[in-house]
Amino acid sequence: MLFRMLGPLEVYGFDGKPVDIPQHKPRVLLSLLLLNSGTWVSIDRISAVLWEEEPPRSSAGNIKTYVSQLRRTLPPNHAEHNRIESRSGAYRINVTPGEFDVSVFEKMAYRGREALRDGADEIAVEYFQEALELWRGQPFDELPEDITLAEAVRLEEQHWAVLEDLIDVRLSRGHHDVVLPTLRALTIEYPLRERLWGQLLLALHRSGRRAEALSAYQTVYRLLTNELGVEPGVDLRRLHQQVLGADLDVDQG
């Protein structure tokens, strides 16, 4: 990968060495182009992001200078077109498959789910772990939040789905004691995510800690009713009933 945006912006050359882009505005410009990878971004849009207040009269010329700096700095594109292309009133960045951590993350997540459908649990675990290891913090964190909100929410939900799928696989393979510390920590930090609580109940029950599993359900029940004014969803309620009755389906794993 050459461009990493699942956390602070990082750029690497083909030799794997980091590429230094020290100035703030070129970094923001590059981040904005990567957020809109492969599509044209107007100069007006770029100006509004680079100068949150009134852009200077020289903004178009300044943007042209920043683009020139980036073109000299960024690793070249193996295709025939430029890394950063321009047309009247707009710019876009060209990123090929495998160069951008966002697209690599989504590819790993897709392959992991394909492996799950094929019954290849070990391969799925490898893909999910590779996908999760790409994350270093908030996506596109050098851009204003109002610009990145929709994409950041979309990616973070995918991140959660991959993490929870990975935990499901480990539970299905009987690794209950391995995932318990992670689940305890996650339910404390993110107490309103019901799927995590269901996984915690399952891990506790399968580890022979039925009383702790029932206590955990009471905890999430109080949280949801007090914080949101709703009861747990149907899946979590069903799992609770299964644990209460020591259902064979939840005993296995």
Side-chain angles (χ1 to χ4, degrees), residues 200-202 204-205 209-218 243:
L200 177 61
L201 262 66
L202 200 57
L204 286 167
H205 182 61
R209 306 179 190 185
R210 181 169 173 268
E212 289 183 56
L214 296 174
S215 176
Y217 180 80
Q218 293 305 316
V243 172

Side-chain angles (χ1 to χ4, degrees), residues 86-107:
S86 61
R87 71 178 186 188
S88 179
Y91 294 95
R92 74 176 175 189
I93 190 168
N94 293 299
V95 180
T96 55
E99 291 186 336
F100 190 21
D101 64 351
V102 171
S103 60
V104 173
F105 164 75
E106 292 179 319
K107 185 177 182 179

Side-chain angles (χ1 to χ4, degrees), residues 125-218:
V125 166
E126 291 178 5
Y127 280 130
F128 289 152
Q129 287 177 329
E130 286 183 35
L132 294 172
E133 286 169 2
L134 295 173
W135 283 69
R136 299 166 293 110
Q138 179 73 19
F140 303 99
D141 79 339
E142 304 211 17
L143 291 170
E145 185 177 340
D146 61 324
I147 294 171
T148 63
L149 182 60
E151 179 68 356
V153 168
R154 184 186 73 84
L155 288 171
E156 288 190 11
E157 282 304 312
Q158 287 194 37
H159 178 267
W160 275 113
V162 170
L163 176 59
E164 290 166 344
D165 284 347
L166 175 60
I167 292 171
D168 275 345
V169 177
R170 285 175 167 161
L171 285 171
S172 72
R173 296 178 64 80
H175 302 160
H176 317 119
D177 290 332
V178 174
V179 299
L180 261 176
T182 298
L183 285 168
R184 289 188 191 278
L186 287 173
T187 50
I188 291 172
E189 190 171 359
Y190 305 97
L192 301 182
R193 293 196 69 88
E194 288 193 40
R195 187 176 174 188
L196 290 175
W197 283 99
Q199 292 172 325
L200 177 61
L201 262 66
L202 200 57
L204 286 167
H205 182 61
R206 289 179 176 173
S207 299
R209 306 179 190 185
R210 181 169 173 268
E212 289 183 56
L214 296 174
S215 176
Y217 180 80
Q218 293 305 316

Side-chain angles (χ1 to χ4, degrees), residues 35-151:
L35 176 66
N36 299 277
S37 179
T39 61
W40 293 101
V41 183
S42 72
I43 289 177
D44 289 343
R45 177 65 167 160
I46 295 170
S47 295
V49 174
L50 291 182
W51 294 277
E52 296 183 31
E53 299 179 357
E54 187 69 23
R57 293 183 179 180
S58 61
S59 60
N62 291 348
I63 291 169
K64 187 175 182 179
T65 298
Y66 302 148
V67 169
S68 296
Q69 292 174 357
L70 289 172
R71 282 172 171 163
R72 290 194 300 269
T73 304
L74 296 179
N77 192 299
H78 286 317
E80 294 182 359
H81 43 64
N82 294 323
R83 174 65 72 183
I84 298 180
E85 290 185 296
S86 61
R87 71 178 186 188
S88 179
Y91 294 95
R92 74 176 175 189
I93 190 168
N94 293 299
V95 180
T96 55
E99 291 186 336
F100 190 21
D101 64 351
V102 171
S103 60
V104 173
F105 164 75
E106 292 179 319
K107 185 177 182 179
M108 293 297 102
Y110 175 79
R111 287 183 172 177
R113 294 193 178 99
E114 274 195 327
L116 273 186
R117 287 193 294 270
D118 294 339
D121 288 0
E122 290 186 12
I123 295 175
V125 166
E126 291 178 5
Y127 280 130
F128 289 152
Q129 287 177 329
E130 286 183 35
L132 294 172
E133 286 169 2
L134 295 173
W135 283 69
R136 299 166 293 110
Q138 179 73 19
F140 303 99
D141 79 339
E142 304 211 17
L143 291 170
E145 185 177 340
D146 61 324
I147 294 171
T148 63
L149 182 60
E151 179 68 356

